[in-house]
Amino acid sequence: MHPLWESRYVSEGRDNLAGKGIASIATEFNYNEIAIIPWVATGVDSDYTEFNLNAIYATQLFNTVDMFIGYNHLRSRQNTSNAHDNEVSLDFSYFYDNKFQLTSSAYYSFDSQGTFIELTINKGYEINEAVNIDFQTGLGFNAGYVSDGHNGINNLKLTADVSYKVIKQLEVYAYTSYTMAINKNAERFVGDQTLKNVLWSGIGLSYLYR
């Protein structure tokens, strides 16, 4: 179970709620290689709600390569406007060693009939048995996913997060992220108006129950 508060709601390099925060909770149910993840979120000081239902199949292709195939059903409401979508995703993770990871993620929206791709490099450090720090660098590419935004490289994101294991089944974690807009053209593309240079952070819990 993952409750989380974030100072902004940022995705695809875009500040979705005009600087306002979001609170969410996700619950992950795992059975063998299948994970079912319902996620519910509400805007902080904004009239926004969102529900996602994810189903993910994970498998190990090689000793150092994992593959994830996912389906996500989304529903959201902002003010009086409702929206829904269905997406499929394909992720590959390459583990150079126990603490260095390369990931490629692609997700396709049936509503916009477009794809967004993210390439990330992650490096983790174990400070001690209770404290871990991770640093991540990622590039985002739009291919019609943001239908009214420009295609091609969209943003560069830098993230640092720290987690502290309170007890065996409970962790507290916090992160700070900065995303930088690339090739923004708000005069030509309406979807680029929310593509910004943004700094935001979040804090949450992760509880494992059996």
Side-chain angles (χ1 to χ4, degrees):
M1 183 176 294
H2 311 282
L4 175 65
W5 172 90
E6 299 171 276
S7 61
R8 293 174 184 258
Y9 182 22
V10 180
S11 61
E12 292 79 47
R14 288 160 170 83
D15 187 11
N16 298 307
L17 297 179
K20 296 181 179 179
I22 192 167
S24 64
I25 185 168
T27 303
E28 182 175 339
F29 302 93
N30 292 280
Y31 179 76
N32 294 332
E33 294 85 10
I34 302 294
I36 304 297
I37 309 172
W39 180 83
V40 179
T42 183
V44 177
D45 297 324
S46 62
D47 186 14
Y48 181 82
T49 58
E50 184 176 341
F51 170 74
N52 291 2
L53 182 59
N54 296 271
I56 299 173
Y57 170 76
T59 186
Q60 187 177 60
L61 297 180
F62 309 102
N63 288 336
T64 57
V65 179
D66 289 346
M67 180 179 71
F68 305 87
I69 301 172
Y71 164 80
N72 187 22
H73 176 72
L74 307 89
R75 290 185 177 271
S76 64
R77 181 186 61 81
Q78 187 167 17
N79 298 323
T80 59
S81 177
N82 295 299
H84 68 275
D85 196 5
N86 294 283
E87 297 180 354
V88 290
S89 61
L90 179 63
D91 294 23
F92 292 95
S93 290
Y94 170 69
F95 299 88
Y96 179 75
D97 57 30
N98 291 332
K99 298 182 179 65
F100 186 74
Q101 182 179 352
L102 303 175
T103 301
S104 66
S105 303
Y107 40 101
Y108 174 83
S109 163
F110 287 94
D111 181 49
S112 65
Q113 297 184 346
T115 302
F116 202 87
I117 300 170
E118 294 179 336
L119 304 177
T120 60
I121 302 173
N122 187 85
K123 176 65 175 177
Y125 297 92
E126 185 178 296
I127 306 304
N128 54 47
E129 291 185 355
V131 179
N132 286 275
I133 298 176
D134 289 279
F135 298 97
Q136 185 182 96
T137 302
L139 283 173
F141 303 83
N142 185 43
Y145 183 88
V146 183
S147 58
D148 53 359
H150 80 272
N151 285 327
I153 187 169
N154 263 228
N155 71 294
L156 169 68
K157 186 170 74 171
L158 306 173
T159 301
D161 66 74
V162 59
S163 64
Y164 173 71
K165 185 174 290 186
V166 181
I167 57 176
K168 184 178 180 180
Q169 292 176 274
L170 176 65
E171 285 187 347
V172 179
Y173 61 94
Y175 78 87
T176 297
S177 287
Y178 178 77
T179 183
M180 181 177 67
I182 299 177
N183 297 332
K184 176 177 178 177
N185 189 344
E187 295 181 358
R188 181 179 177 186
F189 299 98
V190 175
D192 279 9
Q193 293 177 359
T194 54
L195 183 64
K196 301 176 180 178
N197 298 339
V198 176
L199 177 68
W200 79 102
S201 59
I203 185 169
L205 301 174
S206 181
Y207 179 74
L208 175 65
Y209 54 94
R210 301 181 184 275

